[in-house]
Amino acid sequence: MKKLVLALAFVSALFTSSCSSDDSNSSPSLGETTGNYWPMEVNNTWTFSSNSGSSELRMIGVTTINGTPYYELSDDADNVFGVQNWVAKKGATYFQKIADTNINQDGVSINMQGYEIPLFKDHLEANSSWNGTVTSRVNYSVNGQNSSTTATIKYTSTITEKNSTVVLNGATYPNVIKVKTKVEIKILNQTTPIDLEYWLAKDVGPIREYTSSNGSIQERTLINYMLY
């Protein structure tokens, strides 16, 4: 999955303008799962094709947090800063957790507090939505001058289709959930909008990803996968 979108937006905002996570739904309904739309085991691998070539998404490890296994992801297409991230499933809700991040680039040092957001929910019907707000404390140093701020991430996600059948790269996938997410990241009075879309197939996992931000569009589709 696109794991660094938010981190990259933070960095962009800091360069342009140069706590803990707080989900607005502090006790969200996790729901009762209707199936396994992202199989989670170490070494599970998904290979994607895009205009820029092929890339591999792989689960490389597992960590238990508060009794829930979180699977660490490695993504060939999304490793600019080496930010650690994990996915986990609680009930019918699939979460993405981003680790605390340290970035040093062009004389700027940035430390960003980690956060966790719900990616999608497999029990909801088409046209169902959820939203929330997450904050991340950002400490940074520019030319030796230290400062800090809070980045605010607002998201609204919608199940656009459920139980669809799609054909990608010659393969047919039934039982597909399609999710669109609109994100607004505000930091230092600059707002960055991001449009995301994920397709997930039951007992397969992610089969298509789409990201649009600041005029840049990235899209990739599944060509093969291996589950353990």
Side-chain angles (χ1 to χ4, degrees), residues 6-213:
L6 303 183
L8 289 169
F10 291 157
V11 174
S12 174
L14 285 170
F15 277 94
T16 300
S17 61
S18 335
C19 108
S20 50
S21 301
D22 178 24
D23 193 328
S24 62
N25 297 315
S26 57
S27 299
S29 173
L30 299 175
E32 184 175 345
T33 186
T34 59
N36 192 2
Y37 285 85
W38 197 349
M40 298 183 188
E41 290 291 345
V42 175
N43 292 323
N44 280 2
T45 303
W46 298 264
T47 304
F48 296 88
S49 175
S50 69
N51 289 337
S52 59
S54 63
S55 58
E56 183 180 276
L57 174 67
R58 186 162 64 94
M59 294 183 169
I60 61 173
V62 60
T63 300
T64 300
I65 302 175
N66 296 326
T68 299
Y70 282 71
Y71 290 84
E72 185 175 357
L73 295 177
S74 172
D75 191 342
D76 290 347
D78 203 14
N79 59 1
V80 177
F81 297 118
V83 179
Q84 275 188 299
N85 85 119
W86 301 262
V87 290
K89 183 180 181 182
K90 306 174 189 179
T93 305
Y94 300 71
F95 290 87
Q96 182 177 35
K97 180 179 178 63
I98 307 296
D100 291 352
T101 302
N102 294 295
I103 296 171
N104 294 283
Q105 182 175 318
D106 298 335
V108 177
S109 176
I110 305 169
N111 171 264
M112 297 179 297
Q113 186 182 46
Y115 54 88
E116 182 172 328
I117 58 174
L119 287 176
F120 69 100
K121 305 186 179 193
D122 67 41
H123 69 301
L124 296 181
E125 297 300 324
N127 301 315
S128 299
S129 298
W130 66 96
N131 59 74
T133 300
V134 173
T135 58
S136 175
R137 191 67 179 169
V138 182
N139 300 308
Y140 60 99
S141 176
V142 181
N143 297 323
Q145 298 296 314
N146 299 323
S147 189
S148 63
T149 188
T150 297
T152 301
I153 309 157
K154 294 183 178 181
Y155 59 88
T156 300
S157 298
T158 303
I159 304 292
T160 58
E161 292 185 31
K162 190 170 184 180
N163 298 324
S164 297
T165 297
V166 301
V167 177
L168 292 175
N169 299 314
T172 300
Y173 300 98
N175 301 313
V176 172
I177 294 177
K178 299 182 180 181
V179 184
K180 285 187 177 181
T181 299
K182 289 188 174 294
V183 179
E184 284 190 353
I185 301 172
K186 186 173 183 179
I187 183 170
L188 300 177
N189 295 317
Q190 179 175 324
T191 299
T192 301
I194 302 171
D195 290 320
L196 306 169
E197 184 173 4
Y198 300 127
W199 295 2
L200 300 108
K202 191 173 183 178
D203 299 324
V204 175
I207 63 172
R208 178 180 179 269
E209 301 176 5
Y210 171 93
T211 305
S212 175
S213 178

